[in-house]
Amino acid sequence: MRMATFNILHGRSVHDGSVELGRLEESVKRIDADVLALQEVDLDQPRSARADLTALAAEAMGAVTHRFVAAISGTPGATWMAATGREQPGTAAYGIALLSRCPVQSWQVMRLPRIPVTFPMYLREPKKVLMVHEEPRAVVVARLDTPLGPMTVANTHLSFVPGWNRVQLRHLVRDLRGFPGPRVLMGDLNMVPPRTGRWRGLRSLGVAPTFPAHAPTRQLDHILTDDPALRVDDVQAPELPISDHRALVVDVSRP
């Protein structure tokens, strides 16, 4: 079974700055995942042709089910508010998505703690201190019937603020233990692997640099599990026509 996580940068190419929906579809087809976690996903945003990027990706991969979860309602970089899940149809949104070729028994959404105030932070780009308003962060969880047996899979996009993303990860792992095992956590965690190779009881299924896409030096995107029997057969981090991240793709099986 193939699992993959990909921060799609709302379908934008870093080479020409444009969003062409065909490039998103091409990227998803090339990944060819059975379970796909996406981050930085647009819904009804002008910058991405007001498309439903989750639905486009689902059709491209042949998913039997998919779920988009908004982290914010409105337009990133302009006017927005924290999403509640009760937004009216047609509301522009931005968040994460989980897509599957395997049947889903159930879906769950969790909201992660965020820094509630604007704060100063030094950013490498544009190399100065800016006042940052941290975006809300969400988690989508599915109980899947996979060829390897029932599995709980979660997707998230954690904060880029050092230290705070670890607070969010601690909350997430604690809450994920309330779901039946085995469990897999996928997403852009905005942190490099710990030196021990362990993530609060989880192990990595794939080690490969994923950022920046053109010449990756850091792994910010991860697929983790608490399943000791899950075996890794192959790991890839292909450069694709969109995004400043590479996808992390793992083929897994059981002995």
Side-chain angles (χ1 to χ4, degrees):
M1 184 174 73
R2 175 166 289 182
M3 309 184 78
T5 181
F6 187 26
N7 180 326
I8 64 171
L9 191 67
H10 61 269
R12 182 165 66 87
S13 166
V14 294
H15 300 293
D16 59 22
S18 68
V19 175
E20 295 183 13
L21 301 181
R23 290 174 177 170
L24 170 63
E25 294 170 324
E26 176 190 348
S27 298
V28 171
K29 289 177 181 178
R30 283 175 56 182
I31 292 171
D32 193 27
D34 298 300
V35 182
L36 177 62
L38 300 178
Q39 304 85 41
E40 296 198 16
V41 183
D42 277 0
L43 174 64
D44 199 29
Q45 297 285 357
R47 66 186 181 184
S48 49
R50 296 196 177 278
D52 181 342
L53 299 189
T54 305
L56 285 174
E59 184 175 0
M61 70 177 275
V64 300
T65 186
H66 60 273
R67 180 66 58 92
F68 168 78
V69 173
I72 70 172
S73 174
T75 303
T79 303
W80 58 267
M81 63 182 64
T84 64
R86 297 186 295 274
E87 286 73 29
Q88 293 296 316
T91 300
Y94 170 79
I96 57 176
L98 188 60
L99 308 89
S100 175
R101 292 172 177 165
C102 309
V104 174
Q105 296 178 10
S106 62
W107 293 99
Q108 192 89 5
V109 175
M110 299 187 293
R111 305 287 172 180
L112 296 175
R114 59 184 285 237
I115 302 173
V117 296
T118 302
F119 59 96
M121 182 176 176
Y122 176 78
L123 300 179
R124 293 182 181 179
E125 296 293 339
K127 295 185 178 180
K128 61 182 178 180
V129 175
L130 295 176
M131 297 303 293
V132 174
H133 188 191
E134 168 67 351
E135 294 177 358
R137 305 288 173 167
V139 187
V140 57
V141 185
R143 184 65 176 172
L144 303 179
D145 288 321
T146 81
L148 305 181
M151 187 179 298
T152 296
V153 177
N155 172 32
T156 193
H157 184 189
L158 299 185
S159 171
F160 61 84
V161 179
W164 191 251
N165 45 26
R166 298 190 182 278
V167 171
Q168 292 176 330
L169 180 63
R170 184 170 64 248
H171 279 260
L172 172 52
V173 172
R174 180 198 64 196
D175 292 345
L176 202 55
R177 291 195 181 108
F179 292 84
R183 307 165 191 89
V184 174
L185 172 60
M186 303 198 288
D188 178 355
L189 304 187
N190 265 318
M191 63 179 84
V192 297
R195 292 180 180 177
T196 61
R198 303 292 296 187
W199 300 76
R200 300 188 176 276
L202 303 176
R203 66 183 175 95
S204 175
L205 291 176
V207 177
T210 59
F211 183 86
H214 68 286
T217 58
R218 291 176 286 162
Q219 181 175 357
L220 303 182
D221 308 272
H222 303 276
I223 301 177
L224 313 173
T225 189
D226 63 359
D227 185 351
L230 211 56
R231 182 175 63 192
V232 179
D233 299 318
D234 189 41
V235 179
Q236 302 175 45
E239 185 176 10
L240 296 164
I242 61 172
S243 188
D244 53 347
H245 288 242
R246 294 191 177 198
L248 179 67
V249 185
V250 299
D251 292 333
V252 295
S253 62
R254 291 193 186 281

